[in-house]
Amino acid sequence: MTTASPVRILLVEDNPGDVVLIEETLAQRHGAFALESVERLSAALARLSIGGIQVVLLDLTLPDSDGLATFTTMHTQVPDVPIVVLTGLSDESLAVSTVRDGAQDYLVKGHVDADLLGRTISYAIERHQVRRQLKSSEQQLRAALEQVRNLNQDLERRVAERTSELAAAYKELEAFTYSVSHDLRAPLRHVSGFAQTLAEEMGSHLSPTSRDYLERIQQGAVQMGVMVDDLLKLARLGRQPLNPRLTSLTEIVGAVIAELESEIAGRPVEWQIRELSAVACDPGLLGVVFTNLLSNAVKYTRPRDVAVIEVGETTRDGERAFFVRDNGVGFDMRYADKLFGVFQRLHRTEDFEGTGVGLATVQRIIHKHGGRIWAEAMPDRGAAFYFTLNA
Ligand SMILES: Nc1ncnc2c1ncn2[C@@H]1O[C@H](COP(=O)(O)OP(=O)(O)OP(=O)(O)O)[C@@H](O)[C@H]1O
Ligand SMILES: [Mg+2]
């Protein structure tokens, strides 16, 4: 005996004999089922609209509807109630079509015993529930997917917005740097010009201290002139479009070394130049990169009896990286990020001349190529500069 409440069935059947047959068959299951029956489709729809029916047993041939339309009409109007179609032997294929269109199952009249009927009804209800759950999970999944898609679009839009804001700010900053450094040149020329004139006209009347002051003004003006020029070059670099083509870096390095000869001025330098890959890059700008890195290597190895300067290629984190290494004075890695800032220097001008724009320029060029640059060094143990290129 089952303690659960009976399954409520609506039988739609106009043949009284068949109704009795079903009634009697179900009665053998002792209260597991509560049967109501109607003869017409219209009556069935009216009953279903009230609710409470868990499964419909549907004969397709009714006084007010016939064939597949009987099933389709009911299924469209009450999609949430499972339907088991009742059919005669002769139109079993019709019943099969209803299953294809969404009926839970079909039974052939006259071939139904209590077991089959009970099982068919239970399975129909169960399958229908599973299908409904699946459908609602699918809907939830679709909604979640839609949400992810929206979030993604939103994110992309925001990234694009920020990128263009950043690009605009960067451009503005560059324009500012350019115009400031450009406009500083004229007053600077005045300072050094008039200091020069003053020295020429009044030099002999001035005390040694005053002459020293005047000299310092001139030196200051010259130094500032170099800084302004470097800044201007840096700003121009930012505006210059990238002109990449397949380039032999070995050739570039050779040309740069030849140009550095005058700076080396007979000092013993041991060059260890490895063959470098040909890469897509802007050859002019890579010339600027190697000029800065190699002239730094030459400069910061000056205290060495023999400078050893190496140029090569290696792999870092799966990426091809080029490097320039020297056995010079090196630096403390604590300040390694500072090196690439404009006017940032780790050595005193008295020891090593320079304005501190070289590495800022190099970094800008490498970033323009989609690469990165970093340094590895130790005080008094030399320095190495690595960079990658992605252009
Ligand atoms: N090979 C190196 N060995 C040791 N220190 C270095 C080396 N290269 C750069 N540095 C440090 O990094 C600082 C920044 O280098 P950067 O090339 O930008 O400027 P700079 O050489 O001083 O001046 P310039 O603008 O003339 O190049 C240097 O002042 C120096 O302290
Ligand atoms: Mg330099």
Side-chain angles (χ1 to χ4, degrees), residues 71 97 156 199 237 252 258 262 288 356 358:
F71 166 75
S97 330
E156 272 170 21
L237 194 79
I252 291 187
S262 61
V288 176

Side-chain angles (χ1 to χ4, degrees), residues 292 295-296 299-300 356-359:
N292 275 294
S295 75
N296 279 350
K299 179 164 39 173
Y300 296 101
V357 177
L359 286 180

